[in-house]
Structures are given as structure tokens and as C-alpha cells.
Amino acid sequence: MRSRHSSIRSAIALLLVAAVILGFGYILFDLQIINHEYYAAKNSAVRTYKIPIEAARGDIVDRNGNILVTNKQANSIILDAAYFPSRNENAERNKILYNLIKLFEKNGEEYINNLPLELKNGAVAFSDDEEAVSVMKSSAAFNVQNYATAQNCFDVMTELYGLEEYGVGDALKIGALRYELTLNMFSIENPVTIAKSVSSETVAAIKENKTAYLGANVKAVASRDYPDSTIAPHILGTVRKINSQEYEQLKESGYGISDTIGGNGIEAAMESVLRGTPGELTIKIDSDGNVTEEVTKNPVKGSTVVLTISKEMQLIAQKELKKTCDGISRSRGAGAVVVEDVHTGEVLAAASYPTYDILDYYDNYSKLAKNSRQPMWSRFAQGQYAPGSTFKPAMACAALEEGVINENTTFVCRLNFQYYDQPFKCLDYHGTENVKQALRDSCNVFFYNCADKLGIAKMNEYASMFGLGEKTGVEISESSGVLSGPESAQRLGRVWQMGDVIQSAIGQSLNLFTPLQLANYCATIANGGTRYELHFVKSVVNSSTGSVDETNIAVAEELPISSSTFDIVKRGMRMVATQGAPAPVFRKLGIKVACKTGTSQVKRNGITDNNGFLITYAPYDNPEIAVASAIELAGSGTSTASITAAILDYYYKNSADIPSAQQPGTIIQ
């Protein structure tokens, strides 16, 4: 006889079977009867993705339409998530990437590797890029402790990406590409570039064997190209990949995590117009996994930025600056030169030396950054120099306007000048001199007397009118400089002494100005008192419509200085060019010029040297351009005159014969 317990178990089993059958029955009823339309629609739904198509950046040209920066077409290899194995399919992903790496290495291609891990003496080690190591350890990547070793990071990577079956060398290579996908948030909406500017052989191999390279695609992209990559690198600037912070700030404006952005110079300053308008690729994936693609919006190239500089004058400035600096010292010579239109504030040329090739900026960045001569530093915009006697025309204007001297006032120079209990000297025995003669001979004693009567507050009032010690308004990064005075001394942690007033009068003490400021100061004297905001951008030409947006000429200040004062100062500067030390150089030119030299003492590593300066405008009777040069270790401003003479010679031989623009009707001459 069956036991009572056995009967109960059988009954329970039957009930469970019945419940399962009823459950499946309900599911089938729900699928086929109650919600048939909902599930049918869901099963046939098409997933749609919108992918931005990067627009080519706009060109940068000089004032005559000569191309300085443009684009070249190149093939890049991207990974497309619509076709690539999913993130859970590690083995499949790694196999495809390994196939691609072997192809790249066979054809001598470089592929993206931002993984800061490498093999050193047979062991895994960090690269020298500390910032990259920090990013790798962060929660955005491997999420390890700050104290994690390189081997710790490698072990986490190996487990995360399923690389256990590969040797250390191959694991690092595959891991580098997997890491790139992680950094760039790889998805259908976000394809990731893994190799740039690849050969036609690599393109053909990938197109012909889609199985081995599943998900890899060829993308024609525009990259920056330079007819001459040595021209004006400090002005043009560079482009680079957007960083994570910039992406967070700009993603609402349509930027992607892998987009290119202006890094510095005009490329950065004019990013909004150079970037262009991205297009749109629509990808649809149906329930069977079939993928269709359609360009639903074409990209629009960025606008053309027309600069104020003249390519040929820029080349002259760079060549002559290099010649002068190398002539002083091939290992230490350095300096800058700026050329300005005195009636518009347009910068016609601006050169810094030592300089660099833009194409070397990223390939040799570490070497350039460690170079003690600082070739990447823009001396014309960021270099701050004690201007020496080039400051004296401003002092003369202040003294004349304030009535402490007139055209005929004289002071006697016997080398020495006693200011309270402090002795000061002049460089020569000048005897009795008026203001014009004092400018010609650069007599310190004359201007010591002016400073004594004016005081530092009044001196700085006039210096500020000329824009000295403040930014000029150019689009690129620039220093503001320093205007000597008690406030500056306090800010710099120095004690302001009475003797600083006297030293300030001859462009020493705390006075520090940029070559851009010196050029603009000279131009303001030349044009009779209108100080313009300097600018490098002449106009912007819309690539779609051809419309031209001109940069407005902006007046920074109309100086309340009389024409008679300017006339006296100009005559003194003319005497420098005809009777002073630079006269033999300028006498050879077929035009009249006015100028002022300057020398300032600097200490480097305990050694005292002299920097040389020269501000010049021409023609004397009807000024058109101003030139300012600052040459380190030059000894005197006169030794820089050959740079200015070459620039003026070129300008007046070619100003009536401007080359025609490459885009007639669109580039403003």
C-alpha cells in the first residue's frame, strides 16, 4: 500500500506541473492575443543613431590671400561599434585588434597608443607622462589606487580586457587600442580612430577582408597642412584633440569626445569660425541586425580667417631676426620684432627667435619644451623687457605737456647726477642739451631731471596713455607687462625706493614691456596720438556664402597730447636716425625714418648683459608703419637696426606691388 507521504508528494508534483503549463499558457496568450500588436511592433523596431560628421577646418591666409594653413585629405582607420563585437565579446574584439596591429606593423603604419605603460628592460613600467598615468588610474579608466604600480595597472588591464592568452608585449599593444576605446567612450554614436594617415595598401587590405578586420572602417579625414610650416608658428598656433574638461564644457555646443580643437594662437582664438558645422550620419539597425547608413546632413567647412600679416614681410622679419640673433650668439641669441600699420593697429609681421616648425610641435614636444632657449615661447607677445632708452620719448611727451620743460629748456650733463644721497650716471659727457638733443644722444641726465620734476605718478599717467604695461588687444595670448611704481613694487615683493623714480625715467627699475607694446607706442607717436588696439585678424570669409566680416578698427585711446609736443619729440627721433648711432644704417635707405634706440642691463646666472631695443617709424613726414625690435644680449639698440632697415626696404619696394589674392573677390586687400 502506498504511503500517505508518497501520495502528497505526487499531488504536489502534479500541481507544480500544472502551474508551469498554466504559466507558459498565459505567456503565450499574452504574446499572441492580449499584447500581440505591442510585441510585434517591438520585434520589428528599428534602432536609429545619429553620428556627427566632422567638418574640415577653415583656412588661414595672409592679407594677400597666400595660404598659411589649409587641409589635406588622409585616410584614417576607425572602429565602428555597429559592426564591431560587443564589449562582452573580449576574445573576438582582441582577435580583430591583433589582426589590425599585425597589418599596421607589416605596412609600417603608426597606430594610436595613449596607454602610459611600456616594457623597460623586460618589465612593465609607466611612461614619462605623469598626467596620462593619473588618467589611467582614475575611475574613468582602470579605477586603481594612486599608489598602484605599473604591474598592478597591467594586471587590471589584462583582466578587464581578457588578455590573459597573450604575451606581455602583445597584450600591451592590444590593450593600447582597447584603452583608446575606453577613453573615447566607444559606442555606435562614437566611432573611435585607431590609426591616422594610413597607406593605400592598408586601406585596400581592410576593405578586401572585412571578416578579419570586422568593424574597422576607412574614413577620409581632413588634417592641417602647411605650405611652409616655419612661417609664423607663434601666431598661427596648433590644433589638438579636445581634452575631457573642454569636452564637458563644449559638448552642448556639438563637440564630440574625439574632436579636434584649436590649441593656441589663431587656431584657438578663432576656433568658433574655423571649426565649421558638423554633418550628420544616420545609422539604422533593424531587429535582424541589418545596418543601413545615410548622410542626412552634409558638413560645412569652417570660414577662412584672413590675417593682417604679410607672408613675405613675415619671412623677411624671421630671416633678419635670426641673422642678427645668431650673429650675437648662436647658442644664446634671442629676440623679437614687430611691424605695425600706424593708422589701423594691424600687425604686418611679428617674429620670435628661437622659433620652431609647427609640424614638430607634437612629434617633438618634449624636446621643444625642455629646450633652455624656449623656442615655443612667443617673445613678441609674452616676452617682458626693460625697454631702456626707448622709454624716453614718452618721458619727453610727459615733461613737455606738463610744462616742466619746453623745447628750449636745457640741462647740463657732466656724467654724474646726484638725487638726494644717491649718485646716478650718464653714459657720456653731453654738456648742455635740450630735449631733442637729449633724445638724439640718449642723455640720461636730461631725463633724470625730468623725472625729478614729474614724479612717478605723472610719469606713469603718460606711460599708460601709450599702452605701456597693459595688453594691446591682440587675439592671441599676451603678457600685460609691468609699469614701474610703488604698487608694482609691493605686488612683486620689493621695496620702492626714491632712486627707482630716476631709474624708471630711462626705462629701467621695474618697467617691463612687450615688443607688441613698444611697436604700438611708437605707432601712437608716429600718427600723432591715436592708440589703436592691435589685431592679427583682418577679416573672416564665410565658406558657404562668401560674405566678408571685416575686423573693425578700434581706437583704444586718443591721447590728450598736443601736436606741438609730438612734433618736438618726432624731430628728436629724426635726429637719432640722421645723427645718432643708427644713422649709417638708415642713411642707405631711400626714405626718411625716425627712431629711438635703447639698452637695458639684465643679469643672467650672475652675469650682467645688455639687451638692445629699437623703435622706428617711417616715412618721417607721413608715417605708415612702425617697427619695434628687442634683441637679447645685443649690447645696444643700434645693433638691431639692420633688421628694421631690411623690413623698411622690403615694405617700400613692394607696397605698391601687392601680390594678387588667391581667392579674388573674397580676400580683402
Side-chain angles (χ1 to χ4, degrees):
M1 185 175 74
R2 295 173 61 193
S3 69
R4 186 165 62 91
H5 294 293
S6 176
S7 299
I8 293 173
R9 285 196 296 269
S10 298
I12 291 172
L14 288 172
L15 287 172
L16 289 172
V17 170
V20 170
I21 292 172
L22 287 172
F24 277 115
Y26 177 78
I27 291 172
L28 289 172
F29 182 74
D30 179 62
L31 288 171
Q32 297 181 7
I33 305 298
I34 299 176
N35 291 309
H36 170 73
E37 292 183 2
Y38 168 78
Y39 287 111
K42 185 176 181 180
N43 188 51
S44 61
V46 175
R47 289 169 289 163
T48 302
Y49 303 90
K50 303 289 186 181
I51 300 174
I53 303 173
E54 187 176 358
R57 287 180 75 81
D59 295 339
I60 302 176
V61 303
D62 83 338
R63 65 187 298 110
N64 302 313
N66 296 303
I67 292 178
L68 302 175
V69 187
T70 185
N71 302 297
K72 63 180 179 181
Q73 288 293 114
N75 289 316
S76 290
I77 304 302
I78 66 166
L79 290 179
D80 191 334
Y83 305 95
F84 198 61
S86 71
R87 68 178 62 190
N88 297 321
E89 299 173 292
N90 271 331
E92 290 79 0
R93 281 191 168 194
N94 294 338
K95 182 179 179 181
I96 293 168
L97 293 178
Y98 188 52
N99 289 340
L100 286 165
I101 288 168
K102 288 191 291 184
L103 175 65
F104 293 152
E105 291 179 343
K106 173 187 172 185
N107 291 342
E109 312 285 11
E110 290 188 10
Y111 54 90
I112 307 291
N113 186 348
N114 290 311
L115 180 69
L117 294 175
E118 55 190 37
L119 273 178
K120 290 182 180 178
N121 300 320
V124 178
F126 291 129
S127 71
D128 295 332
D129 192 335
E130 294 180 2
E131 184 178 351
V133 171
S134 178
V135 171
M136 178 181 66
K137 291 182 177 181
S138 72
S139 58
F142 295 166
N143 195 24
V144 297
Q145 298 295 334
N146 287 335
Y147 55 76
T149 66
Q151 185 62 49
N152 294 151
C153 294
F154 176 80
D155 292 340
V156 170
M157 180 190 74
T158 300
E159 182 178 356
L160 180 65
Y161 297 146
L163 296 166
E164 294 86 355
E165 66 179 272
Y166 295 93
V168 176
D170 288 338
L172 284 171
K173 294 175 183 178
I174 299 169
L177 294 183
R178 293 293 302 269
Y179 181 65
E180 192 68 16
L181 301 186
T182 300
L183 285 182
N184 289 282
M185 298 184 289
F186 181 55
S187 65
I188 291 178
E189 295 96 333
N190 222 16
V192 172
T193 299
I194 59 171
K196 297 179 179 179
S197 300
V198 299
S199 64
S200 56
E201 289 81 6
T202 297
V203 170
I206 289 174
K207 286 186 174 181
E208 290 170 3
N209 195 344
K210 292 189 176 295
T211 302
Y213 309 117
L214 186 65
N217 207 347
V218 179
K219 179 182 178 183
V221 296
S223 61
R224 280 324 222 179
D225 188 40
Y226 308 87
D228 185 343
S229 54
T230 66
I231 294 178
H234 301 95
I235 300 173
L236 299 177
T238 59
V239 294
R240 58 171 171 76
K241 184 180 174 183
I242 194 172
N243 62 41
S244 57
Q245 290 181 332
E246 291 166 335
Y247 170 67
E248 288 301 321
Q249 295 171 353
L250 296 171
K251 62 183 179 182
E252 297 301 322
S253 300
Y255 281 82
I257 188 65
S258 60
D259 277 2
T260 294
I261 192 171
N264 50 43
I266 292 298
E267 291 278 19
M270 303 302 292
E271 169 67 20
S272 61
V273 297
L274 285 169
R275 180 173 183 252
T277 305
E280 186 177 80
L281 176 69
T282 299
I283 293 181
K284 295 181 179 180
I285 305 176
D286 64 20
S287 58
D288 296 324
N290 297 313
V291 180
T292 58
E293 300 180 1
E294 181 185 3
V295 175
T296 48
K297 181 182 177 183
N298 289 314
V300 178
K301 182 181 177 180
S303 298
T304 295
V305 172
V306 184
L307 299 185
T308 58
I309 68 170
S310 159
K311 173 187 172 183
E312 296 303 324
M313 185 176 288
Q314 181 70 26
L315 286 171
I316 293 289
Q318 291 181 192
K319 175 186 173 184
E320 294 300 321
L321 179 64
K322 179 182 186 304
K323 183 194 298 184
T324 297
C325 291
D326 285 349
I328 292 166
S329 172
R330 285 191 173 274
S331 61
R332 300 173 63 204
V337 62
V338 177
V339 187
E340 176 187 347
D341 185 320
V342 304
H343 298 298
T344 63
E346 293 181 348
V347 180
L348 304 178
S352 180
Y353 185 81
T355 185
Y356 65 97
D357 187 318
I358 292 181
L359 295 178
D360 290 338
Y361 186 83
Y362 290 113
D363 291 342
N364 297 313
Y365 181 83
S366 180
K367 182 179 178 182
L368 288 170
K370 293 176 182 177
N371 189 322
S372 61
R373 299 180 70 192
Q374 300 177 289
M376 294 190 295
W377 185 46
S378 170
R379 284 172 165 81
F380 62 76
Q382 296 170 315
Q384 300 179 106
Y385 299 94
S389 295
T390 58
F391 186 64
K392 289 173 180 174
M395 278 293 299
C397 287
L400 288 164
E401 280 297 298
E402 292 302 311
V404 301
I405 65 169
N406 59 43
E407 183 176 6
N408 300 311
T409 300
T410 60
F411 295 111
V412 180
C413 171
R414 296 190 178 93
L415 285 178
N416 299 312
F417 180 83
Q418 192 72 22
Y419 187 70
Y420 294 94
D421 60 345
Q422 289 182 277
F424 293 90
K425 288 185 174 292
C426 194
L427 295 176
D428 204 349
Y429 184 106
H430 295 115
T432 302
E433 292 208 318
N434 61 30
V435 65
K436 297 190 297 294
Q437 294 165 331
L439 286 170
R440 177 194 65 192
D441 299 330
S442 206
C443 177
N444 288 347
V445 169
F446 186 95
F447 292 99
Y448 290 156
N449 279 283
C450 291
D452 186 23
K453 296 176 183 296
L454 284 167
I456 193 65
K458 190 58 69 173
M459 290 160 58
N460 284 349
E461 180 184 329
Y462 281 84
S464 295
M465 290 182 192
F466 285 106
L468 298 172
E470 62 184 69
K471 293 183 177 181
T472 65
V474 290
E475 297 84 353
I476 65 176
S477 176
E478 63 172 328
S479 298
S480 58
V482 178
L483 201 56
S484 186
E487 297 82 5
S488 296
Q490 184 178 18
R491 189 172 64 251
L492 297 171
R494 276 191 50 179
V495 176
W496 179 258
Q497 299 179 356
M498 294 300 295
D500 280 313
V501 177
I502 301 303
Q503 288 290 85
S504 298
I506 60 169
Q508 294 279 173
S509 185
L510 301 179
N511 282 321
L512 295 172
F513 310 140
T514 67
L516 282 174
Q517 290 171 9
L518 292 176
N520 208 20
Y521 151 56
C522 182
T524 304
I525 294 173
N527 67 36
T530 302
R531 177 164 62 89
Y532 293 97
E533 289 186 6
L534 293 189
H535 56 281
F536 283 108
V537 177
K538 187 174 180 64
S539 61
V540 174
V541 183
N542 187 290
S543 62
S544 298
T545 65
S547 62
V548 179
D549 183 12
E550 289 276 1
T551 298
N552 293 324
I553 297 172
V555 175
E557 187 170 359
E558 291 284 1
L559 276 61
I561 296 176
S562 66
S563 58
S564 61
T565 289
F566 277 123
D567 182 61
I568 294 167
V569 172
K570 287 180 179 181
R571 279 186 278 150
M573 293 176 69
R574 174 62 179 155
M575 289 168 67
V576 177
T578 57
Q579 302 171 32
V585 176
F586 290 137
R587 201 173 290 132
K588 299 174 184 178
L589 294 174
I591 52 172
K592 295 179 179 180
V593 304
C595 67
K596 184 68 192 82
T597 56
T599 306
S600 64
Q601 284 189 345
V602 291
K603 279 191 175 181
R604 294 183 178 87
N605 302 320
I607 301 173
T608 300
D609 288 312
N610 288 328
N611 291 336
F613 305 88
L614 182 65
I615 57 173
T616 309
Y617 69 85
Y620 169 68
D621 298 321
N622 185 24
E624 293 181 22
I625 66 170
V627 184
S629 56
I631 309 299
E632 299 173 21
L633 314 179
S636 70
T638 302
S639 60
T640 75
S642 60
I643 302 173
T644 301
I647 290 170
L648 294 176
D649 184 60
Y650 170 79
Y651 179 82
Y652 286 102
K653 284 181 178 177
N654 295 275
S655 59
D657 186 26
I658 299 174
S660 60
Q662 294 190 14
Q663 300 176 21
T666 62
I667 303 302
I668 303 303
Q669 300 292 322

